[in-house]
Amino acid sequence: MTTTIDAAGDAMTASPAGGPAIVTRGLTKRFRGGQIAVDHLDLTVPRGAVFGFLGPNGSGKTTTIRMLLGLVTPTSGSSSILGAASPVQALTRVGALVEGPAFYPYLSGAANLRRFDAADPSADPRTVGRRVAEALDRVGLAAAAKKRYRAYSLGMRQRLAIAATLLGPRELLVLDEPTNGLDPQGTREVRNLIKDVAAGGTTVFVSSHLLAEVEQMCTHIGVMSTGRLVAEGTLTELRSASVPRIRVETPDSSLAAAALTAFGLTNIIPAPGEVSAELGDALPERVTAALVREGIAVRGLQVVHPTLEDVFVHLTGEGFDVEA
Amino acid sequence: MSKVGPLGEGLSVSAGVQADSSAVSAGPRARSLSGDGPESPRGALAGVRAGVRLLRSEIGLTFRRPRNLALLGVLAVVPLVIGVAIRAAGDGADSFVGQVAGNGLVLTFAAFFVMLPLVLPLAVGVVAGDSIAGEAGLGTLRYLLTAPAGRTRLLALKYANVVVFAVAACALVAVSALVTGLVLFPVGPVTLLSGSTIPLAEGLLRIGLVALYAAAGMAALGALALAISTLTETSIGAIATTLVLVVVAQVLQAIPQLAVIEPYLLTSWWAGFDGALRDPVATDQMGQGLLVFAAYIVVCGSIAWARFTSRDITA
Ligand SMILES: Nc1ncnc2c1ncn2[C@@H]1O[C@H](COP(=O)(O)OP(=O)(O)OP(=O)(O)O)[C@@H](O)[C@H]1O
Ligand SMILES: [Mg+2]
């Protein structure tokens, strides 16, 4: 039940400069042992978007990212980043953070960044010192540049991994849970950094569990559930796809429930001291009038717009256990 | 290559420059990838430079790593220990020991004789077995590949680094043994295995030959260890498997009934370095050994390539 709202049809054939930053068509990964991690994923990330890639644990976000970056071969389907025929051709213009930081423990933070810069054939060795210093400064690690990675704290490691994505000019940043392990200041910094980078025209593809955060920085959202994309669109589109509810505070909750039913509202949930129902297109003032006509003691009345979390839970289910 | 262009702008992304700046940088870069490829001389030159840079990074990492330095320390100390032991034993019953006591240069050959079966393979096996599996285990492999290092390119440079280490290890053994021999024993013309005597200068040349042959044998082992290293995500596993194979091969080699498989075992050709101690140099024996080493490098290299270029990087 994919509710694809923002479909871009002939995206695969688009030119490198103008086309979408990421396109996948029928992208599927079945791991040895039969586990389907990603199931016929059709994803389109427009250039310049900050795309929030959401989904419960084990829903296939990291596996998708690995396929986009060419680390994992898809079982079937195809993907393309920055319009390139193969990931390697585009990767030099991509900064990637995949499933947490990984560095050489016996090297300093700066030496680690130099190491990865040396692996990029198009990086200019003459500017590496400046670029490393700027990237470290960008994530607030300038003071710890000479410290061995082994001695870094969890958050410092995460920051170093983000610094590594900023070593060159990037057209696309792929960030798999970038704020994992960061303190509130760090989280805010990363959010600002992503906004900054996006303001410079770079497309950002960010997977996260922190819905409040995604809500604050993303322009587009895709929601994964057990390997499938269950929703894709702009934040506004996604919010409007789920209906607001009306909440009535009243001592006569069963009477109120009957009155709301009579009014034609659905999905009514009575609780001690209150009743709530799906408002749909109904006007709240009409509902209020109807309740008052019935002589129900209305103590409070509220229209509740769903948070992204509500949308998310609605799309991916209430279940807490991971599906495997 | 448009090396200077886009990258010269440094952190234009993080500096928050306008959207069109990244569009501009996309243009030449995108073209350089398709048009200015490896076929064009400028692209090829830039490619070689970038390869040298990554190889230097590999070598720096290998020779700065405490564990590898400890291994090199062992390689330097063993010839010293052998020398001191022979010196302490004095002119002994054993003719070989007597020869070393009589001429310090012979200590070099003694050192390779003692160290080629296990000590040198241990050092090379650790570095080569760790090369891919170690990066996979640390997780750094995914970041090298998204840099993007390129799978074939990374594998080739990893192997080049292994060869550099093998040459350095053999050179270290030779130099350490030579210095120990010069300090502890008298030095003069060398009596060869075939009985004839060669002057000191030619003796030094023969030592170089022995070290090079040993390095070739270790490079072949390095290719085997590299192939094993692409099969696993734990470097200890790759290293242990390599060393077990080295030991098993030498056990098989010692069983007379299995003489038919002996020519196919890598280890049975390592001792061929003594061809350099005959007069004239046993070129066909050593040449055959080098061919076997080359065959191992080609076969193991192909296996490593086939595996590494198709493998899912999930670590
Ligand atoms: N190497 C592997 N072999 C077999 N199954 C795997 C492998 N890697 C991932 N999976 C399975 O694929 C599914 C998706 O995993 P993935 O790591 O993509 O999830 P995720 O959305 O990133 O989860 P999280 O939010 O916890 O990071 C899971 O069921 C997982 O068990
Ligand atoms: Mg994940």
Side-chain angles (χ1 to χ4, degrees):
Chain A
M1 41 151 276
T2 308
T3 51
T4 304
I5 299 157
D6 186 13
D10 54 346
M12 278 306 238
T13 54
S15 71
I22 298 176
V23 186
T24 76
R25 287 293 171 259
L27 194 66
T28 301
K29 181 65 187 181
R30 185 188 288 274
F31 279 107
R32 263 186 296 170
Q35 167 86 47
I36 271 218
V38 177
D39 193 1
H40 291 90
L41 182 67
D42 294 317
L43 195 66
T44 306
V45 177
R47 291 252 177 182
V50 178
F51 192 98
F53 196 44
L54 300 174
N57 292 131
S59 56
K61 302 183 297 295
T62 302
T63 306
T64 303
I65 288 173
R66 283 181 190 278
M67 285 192 281
L68 292 176
L69 301 175
L71 294 173
V72 160
T73 317
T75 311
S76 63
S78 61
S79 70
S80 163
I81 50 174
L82 301 176
S86 83
V88 178
Q89 289 176 9
L91 280 175
T92 188
R93 294 173 281 152
V94 176
L97 166 60
V98 191
E99 207 155 62
F103 292 97
Y104 304 90
Y106 42 88
L107 294 184
S108 71
N112 265 297
L113 294 191
R114 282 171 175 274
R115 161 76 174 156
F116 289 109
D117 193 67
D120 180 352
S122 66
D124 186 352
R126 286 167 298 184
T127 57
V128 64
R130 182 170 56 79
R131 286 182 292 114
V132 164
E134 281 175 3
L136 287 170
D137 196 41
R138 205 68 221 281
V139 297
L141 276 183
K146 295 271 181 294
K147 206 172 184 168
R148 282 187 182 216
Y149 178 71
R150 193 197 305 282
Y152 274 27
S153 72
L154 176 67
M156 289 163 79
R157 292 174 180 204
Q158 188 74 17
R159 286 167 190 244
L160 188 62
I162 294 169
T165 67
L166 300 173
L167 277 176
R170 311 297 195 196
E171 285 171 50
L172 171 66
L173 285 191
V174 177
L175 304 172
D176 192 7
E177 295 177 38
T179 54
N180 207 2
L182 292 186
D183 53 26
Q185 290 90 333
T187 310
R188 223 168 79 175
E189 273 310 304
V190 168
R191 211 161 52 223
N192 289 338
L193 196 138
I194 288 177
K195 281 183 189 161
D196 257 25
V197 166
T202 300
T203 311
V204 183
F205 185 79
V206 53
S207 93
S208 180
H209 299 295
L210 301 177
L211 300 164
E213 194 177 290
V214 166
E215 213 162 5
Q216 286 181 56
M217 63 186 181
C218 292
T219 57
H220 293 67
I221 281 176
V223 182
M224 294 283 285
S225 179
T226 58
R228 275 165 311 152
L229 191 69
V230 290
E232 181 187 21
T234 64
L235 195 55
T236 345
E237 285 169 335
L238 216 67
R239 277 231 198 75
S240 63
S242 70
V243 284
R245 294 179 69 82
I246 187 160
R247 205 176 123 249
V248 184
E249 273 175 55
T250 168
D252 325 318
S253 61
S254 53
L255 286 176
L260 291 176
T261 313
F263 190 83
L265 297 190
T266 57
N267 205 350
I268 293 161
I269 305 170
E274 66 166 71
V275 180
S276 75
E278 227 168 63
L279 186 59
D281 293 332
L283 293 171
E285 56 269 29
R286 291 273 172 78
V287 179
T288 317
L291 288 170
V292 171
R293 258 200 314 276
E294 296 292 325
I296 291 160
V298 176
R299 287 180 179 167
L301 195 132
Q302 197 182 7
V303 177
V304 186
H305 286 279
T307 63
L308 191 57
E309 183 170 319
D310 297 326
V311 177
F312 180 80
V313 170
H314 173 72
L315 288 167
T316 59
E318 290 276 356
F320 165 72
D321 294 330
V322 297
E323 311 199 20
Chain B
M1 288 289 284
S2 58
K3 276 181 70 180
V4 194
L7 279 167
E9 293 160 22
L11 276 176
S12 72
V13 160
S14 45
V17 186
Q18 313 313 316
D20 36 349
S21 114
S22 82
V24 167
S25 73
R29 179 78 64 104
R31 267 197 304 282
S32 83
L33 278 163
S34 50
D36 203 13
E39 329 78 52
S40 95
R42 271 179 64 213
L45 184 64
V48 169
R49 279 221 196 94
V52 169
R53 185 178 176 215
L54 181 52
L55 180 59
R56 277 178 50 185
S57 162
E58 283 291 331
I59 293 173
L61 218 54
T62 305
F63 286 90
R64 267 201 300 263
R65 188 149 178 203
R67 186 195 65 192
N68 297 348
L69 291 179
L71 283 172
L72 291 173
V74 169
L75 292 183
V77 163
V78 171
L80 186 72
V81 171
I82 299 172
V84 169
I86 291 175
R87 178 71 189 263
D91 287 348
D94 198 299
S95 66
F96 196 50
V97 169
Q99 264 206 27
V100 174
N103 188 342
L105 284 196
V106 181
L107 181 63
T108 318
F109 307 123
F112 276 104
F113 183 75
V114 170
M115 296 171 74
L116 258 179
L118 209 59
V119 184
L120 273 168
L122 172 78
V124 173
V126 165
V127 169
D130 186 56
S131 53
I132 298 292
E135 302 272 8
L138 274 181
T140 44
L141 186 56
R142 64 175 182 269
Y143 289 120
L144 287 177
L145 292 180
T146 53
R151 294 198 187 203
T152 305
R153 180 170 168 266
L154 182 64
L155 189 71
L157 292 175
K158 283 276 181 195
Y159 185 61
N161 175 58
V162 167
V163 172
V164 167
F165 183 81
V167 170
C170 293
L172 185 64
V173 168
V175 168
S176 165
L178 202 58
V179 171
T180 308
L182 290 178
V183 171
L184 293 182
F185 306 103
V187 173
V190 183
T191 307
L192 296 172
L193 292 176
S194 42
S196 50
T197 303
I198 52 167
L200 182 62
E202 202 187 330
L204 288 174
L205 216 65
R206 298 288 179 102
I207 289 176
L209 206 57
V210 167
L212 279 178
Y213 184 87
M218 289 304 104
L221 176 73
L224 176 68
L226 184 74
I228 296 171
S229 188
T230 60
L231 301 174
T232 169
E233 276 163 17
T234 52
S235 57
I236 296 297
I239 294 166
T241 308
T242 307
L243 295 179
V244 165
L245 287 179
V246 166
V247 170
V248 167
Q250 293 184 76
V251 168
L252 295 181
Q253 203 180 310
I255 301 174
Q257 287 83 355
L258 295 177
V260 274
I261 63 163
E262 204 191 321
Y264 300 100
L265 297 176
L266 179 61
T267 51
S268 51
W269 293 94
W270 287 343
F273 77 87
D274 66 6
L277 305 182
R278 295 181 196 280
D279 201 25
V281 174
T283 40
D284 52 331
Q285 175 198 326
M286 293 180 86
Q288 256 184 15
L290 291 177
L291 273 181
V292 170
F293 298 156
Y296 263 87
I297 291 171
V298 168
V299 171
C300 294
S302 309
I303 293 172
W305 180 82
R307 167 72 182 162
F308 188 57
T309 50
S310 64
R311 161 177 163 184
D312 279 352
I313 310 297
T314 51

